[in-house]
Amino acid sequence: MDSQMFDLARDAMAKAHAPYSRFHVGAVVKGANGRLYAGCNVENAAYPQGNCAETSAISAMVLDGETRIAEVLVMGAGEGLVTPCGGCRQRIREFATDDVPIHICSPDELRRTVTLGELLPLSFGPENLR
Ligand code: THU
């Protein structure tokens, strides 16, 4: 994980729209093209309409014409590890293989790196529909 990824996630986290949970999350995905795409969580007064940070970052990547994820970083505060939620694991899976590293960070440091395969074993993906 490079420091640029970390810094972008921290900036994104600071911009989260999270007036309901007050839980700010920043995410950065690195495309196979080497570019970095940041996102933050965007909550909504109609609660289920809120978006996770990973969802926003993936949207930015797809908008840029990239559809392969090389690396992911998720950042959140608190004692527990802020890993991607179940829905976001599947959203990442759409564009990533099992070996893709996912860096779990606090705003201060890298806490742990896991792979997508560890977070979402035996997953269903685009290959199943080919
Ligand atoms: N959240 C994310 O943005 N990403 C995750 O991986 C976990 C949860 C957000 C959703 C919601 O806005 C807030 O954190 C509390 O669940």
Side-chain angles (χ1 to χ4, degrees):
M1 180 201 73
D2 47 64
S3 62
Q4 207 191 343
M5 240 180 136
F6 189 89
D7 293 345
L8 270 177
R10 209 153 57 173
D11 290 348
M13 188 181 160
K15 289 179 179 160
H17 176 73
Y20 308 108
S21 73
R22 303 204 179 281
F23 192 77
H24 287 219
V25 182
V28 174
V29 297
K30 182 185 278 184
N33 59 9
R35 289 194 193 163
L36 300 178
Y37 304 94
C40 61
N41 52 332
V42 181
E43 296 183 350
N44 193 285
Y47 290 179
Q49 304 308 323
N51 275 349
C52 283
E54 297 90 327
T55 306
S56 309
I58 289 170
S59 297
M61 181 191 77
V62 172
L63 183 62
D64 194 43
E66 178 57 81
T67 55
R68 282 185 303 151
I69 293 177
E71 215 171 317
V72 179
L73 188 156
V74 182
M75 182 182 288
E79 259 184 45
L81 291 177
V82 180
T83 57
C85 76
C88 284
R89 293 175 194 201
Q90 187 67 38
R91 289 189 187 95
I92 294 166
R93 171 67 181 89
E94 182 69 14
F95 305 105
T97 48
D98 277 357
D99 57 332
V100 162
I102 302 185
H103 308 295
I104 311 302
C105 296
S106 74
D108 299 319
E109 61 188 356
L110 170 66
R111 298 184 66 187
R112 191 162 158 182
T113 297
V114 294
T115 63
L116 176 60
E118 287 176 287
L119 291 184
L120 194 68
L122 298 175
S123 64
F124 182 88
E127 303 79 13
N128 290 96
L129 300 180
R130 282 190 197 124

